[in-house]
């Protein structure tokens, strides 16, 4: 399975109506070839609505979840498993987003277990890493530790999203040379952790918009984009896609 290159992460936003309107705009403005490069991740409660519209409009975009809960022998009130996500049409799941790490205290051990649950449930994984502070000399050490959660997994169903926290929702993006350095570091580190000559795809996320998306995507080291705020409005998301794929 190939990963779509542009991910819309709606976080805790939207409504049934908003999903309908967004997907209609998407259907009207984006051609089927470019649609195939998009992954839509609405809140879990709206996955079924999204799946229905995607099917009814015969759209080519993929559906993903923003999180999953681990498979466990114990009852887990309120939890959502990989097989449930699969059941409502998800092919992908985001794991390790910085907001999950900080607001929900998700640590490396838990994230590793989530990746296992996702892969066993036949979901492909977008695994997020990123440092907290700008120009911090410990950034690479932190990311190295975050990547440890993937030790011994293999490539085909995992992509990495590099999202420095200082760039998320701030309007600030890293320079091209900084991104090249960090993405190359992540790719090299994964080869070391996995002891394999696998080339992982590394996406970038943080303050992407219609003005900077194309330049970011044109960087050699950037294999895809994870878009938060600018994905909520269908016209700004359409602009991002059309600038990249027209
Ligand atoms: P942003 O969010 O595009 O609003 O900065 C990105 C993300 O958190 O995935």
């Amino acid at each position: 399975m190939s990963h779509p290159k542009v991910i819309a992460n709606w976080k805790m936003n939207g409504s049934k109506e908003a999903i309908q309107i967004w997907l209609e705009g998407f259907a009207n403005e984006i051609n089927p070839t470019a649609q195939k490069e998009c992954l839509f991740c609405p809140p879990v409660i709206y996955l079924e609505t999204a799946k229905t519209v995607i099917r009814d409009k015969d759209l080519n975009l993929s559906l993903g979840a923003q999180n999953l809960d681990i498979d466990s022998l114990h009852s887990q009130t309120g939890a959502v498993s990989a097989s449930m996500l699969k059941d409502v049409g998800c092919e992908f799941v985001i794991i390790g987003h910085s907001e999950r790490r900080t607001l929900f205290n998700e640590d490396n051990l838990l994230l590793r277990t989530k990746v296992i649950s996702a892969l066993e449930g036949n979901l492909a994984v977008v695994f997020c890493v990123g440092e907290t502070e700008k120009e911090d000399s410990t950034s690479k050490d932190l990311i190295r530790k975050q990547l440890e959660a993937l030790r011994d997994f293999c490539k085909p169903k995992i992509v990495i999203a590099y999202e420095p926290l200082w760039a998320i929702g701030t309007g600030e993006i890293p320079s091209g040379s900084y991104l090249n350095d960090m993405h190359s570091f992540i790719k090299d580190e994964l080869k070391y952790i996995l002891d394999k000559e696998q080339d992982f795809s590394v996406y970038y996320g943080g303050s992407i918009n219609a003005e900077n998306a194309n330049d970011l995507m044109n960087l050699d080291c950037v294999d895809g984009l994870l878009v938060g705020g600018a994905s909520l409005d269908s016209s700004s998301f359409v602009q991002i896609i059309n600038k990249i794929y027209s």
Side-chain angles (χ1 to χ4, degrees):
M1 179 197 300
S2 69
H3 273 67
K5 299 280 185 293
V6 186
I7 304 170
N9 174 18
W10 270 27
K11 309 190 182 186
M12 199 174 74
N13 291 288
S15 62
K16 284 201 254 183
E17 193 188 1
I19 301 262
Q20 180 84 32
I21 294 169
W22 193 87
L23 287 171
E24 274 166 18
F26 184 89
N28 294 336
E29 304 285 341
I30 299 182
N31 69 58
T33 311
Q35 284 181 14
K36 201 163 181 295
E37 296 297 343
C38 300
L39 168 60
F40 183 35
C41 300
V44 68
I45 190 85
Y46 298 129
L47 285 168
E48 185 76 43
T49 305
K51 180 191 169 189
T52 306
V53 183
I54 289 169
R55 190 196 52 218
D56 291 351
K57 294 198 167 295
D58 200 19
L59 296 176
N60 233 345
L61 90 164
S62 304
L63 198 55
Q66 301 171 14
N67 177 41
L68 91 171
D69 295 298
I70 56 170
D71 285 332
S72 154
L73 294 176
H74 304 290
S75 297
Q76 297 186 75
T77 300
V80 177
S81 70
S83 60
M84 291 171 187
L85 295 176
K86 200 77 193 166
D87 199 29
V88 293
C90 286
E91 295 171 85
F92 299 86
V93 60
I94 299 172
I95 295 180
H97 191 283
S98 59
E99 288 152 14
R100 300 287 323 174
R101 290 177 190 267
T102 51
L103 301 174
F104 296 87
N105 296 322
E106 295 192 352
D107 62 15
N108 247 10
L109 193 60
L110 176 65
L111 294 175
R112 180 174 173 81
T113 319
K114 287 192 174 201
V115 175
I116 293 170
S117 287
L119 297 177
E120 284 179 355
N122 208 19
L123 290 169
V125 172
V126 179
F127 189 78
C128 301
V129 298
E131 76 276 14
T132 316
E133 304 290 336
K134 196 175 174 185
E135 288 164 17
D136 181 349
S137 59
T138 63
S139 295
K140 286 184 176 167
D141 288 338
L142 177 71
I143 291 171
R144 184 179 287 121
K145 285 191 192 122
Q146 292 171 340
L147 291 171
E148 269 295 327
L150 300 179
R151 188 171 278 281
D152 298 330
F153 293 139
C154 62
K155 172 193 164 186
K157 301 194 87 189
I158 303 175
V159 297
I160 308 300
Y162 169 60
E163 297 203 303
L165 265 74
W166 53 268
I168 294 180
T170 60
E172 200 174 357
I173 57 166
S175 66
S177 59
Y178 186 85
L179 274 183
N180 264 326
D181 182 45
M182 294 309 268
H183 282 219
S184 305
F185 166 75
I186 291 168
K187 287 179 191 231
D188 288 348
E189 199 58 28
L190 282 167
K191 280 182 185 158
Y192 175 72
I193 287 173
L194 298 164
D195 197 21
K196 291 187 184 98
E197 280 303 303
Q198 300 185 78
D199 203 7
F200 273 77
S201 293
V202 181
Y203 291 16
Y204 168 72
S207 295
I208 295 167
N209 57 37
E211 277 67 53
N212 59 30
N214 200 31
D215 289 345
L216 286 164
M217 199 62 178
N218 279 334
L219 292 170
D220 280 348
C221 59
V222 173
D223 301 306
L225 304 175
L226 176 45
V227 188
S231 73
L232 289 172
D233 174 51
S234 87
S235 60
S236 74
F237 192 67
V238 162
Q239 276 185 50
I240 290 174
I241 301 302
N242 284 339
K243 284 200 175 159
I244 297 172
Y245 293 106
S246 60

